[in-house]
Amino acid sequence: MTDVKELAKQAHNAWDTKNEASMRALLHDDYHFKGPTQELKGSDACIDCMMNFPFEGRNENVQMISEGNKVVCISDWVVTSPFSQTIPMVMVMEFQEGKLKNENLFFDTAKFPAAMAA
């Protein structure tokens, strides 16, 4: 069985490169994402969000901590478009049967420009 940290890295890479096949292969049939600005249910919703994500950026200063089937990923999301900002983020990822089942994302929404928060 692949280490959950490695699965988390693969999921981040698939998202960053918009690799639909790789991302779909990592998602559990009962995938669920919850963040401060949106919630996604199901792998199709995740793929649609990934393919139509309106921001460009990269993760820096990534640290991953794992215990059992969970990975906590702490990073700075460096947004380059449509605005420039560094946003500290924490993602809690839960894996089941080697697949990404649940993600909970935490960040300060005040880091987004006021016009985008509405």
Side-chain angles (χ1 to χ4, degrees):
M1 180 174 172
T2 305
D3 176 69
V4 291
K5 276 191 196 178
E6 181 57 35
L7 292 172
K9 289 176 188 175
Q10 290 175 20
H12 276 274
N13 185 56
W15 180 276
D16 288 347
T17 60
K18 294 189 177 192
N19 186 325
E20 182 177 348
S22 293
M23 187 59 132
R24 194 171 293 279
L26 291 165
L27 296 174
H28 192 278
D29 290 340
D30 192 25
Y31 172 81
H32 181 245
F33 168 90
K34 177 118 174 85
T37 61
Q38 75 182 120
E39 185 170 6
L40 304 170
K41 293 183 180 180
S43 57
D44 288 339
C46 178
I47 297 298
D48 183 58
C49 180
M50 178 182 76
M51 299 308 289
N52 295 296
F53 200 58
F55 305 102
E56 297 294 327
R58 65 191 176 282
N59 284 294
E60 294 183 354
N61 306 315
V62 178
Q63 298 176 45
M64 291 191 182
I65 303 162
S66 66
E67 184 172 320
N69 67 337
K70 291 186 179 178
V71 176
V72 176
C73 180
I74 304 161
S75 65
D76 292 324
W77 183 40
V78 180
V79 183
T80 56
S81 179
F83 62 95
S84 295
Q85 182 69 268
T86 298
I87 304 174
M89 296 191 158
V90 174
M91 173 81 80
V92 180
M93 307 168 86
E94 180 183 2
F95 294 86
Q96 185 176 12
E97 301 161 353
K99 304 277 186 167
L100 181 55
K101 184 170 182 187
N102 294 303
E103 290 184 291
N104 289 293
L105 178 63
F106 303 91
F107 65 90
D108 182 0
T109 58
K111 296 280 189 177
F112 280 80
M116 298 190 88

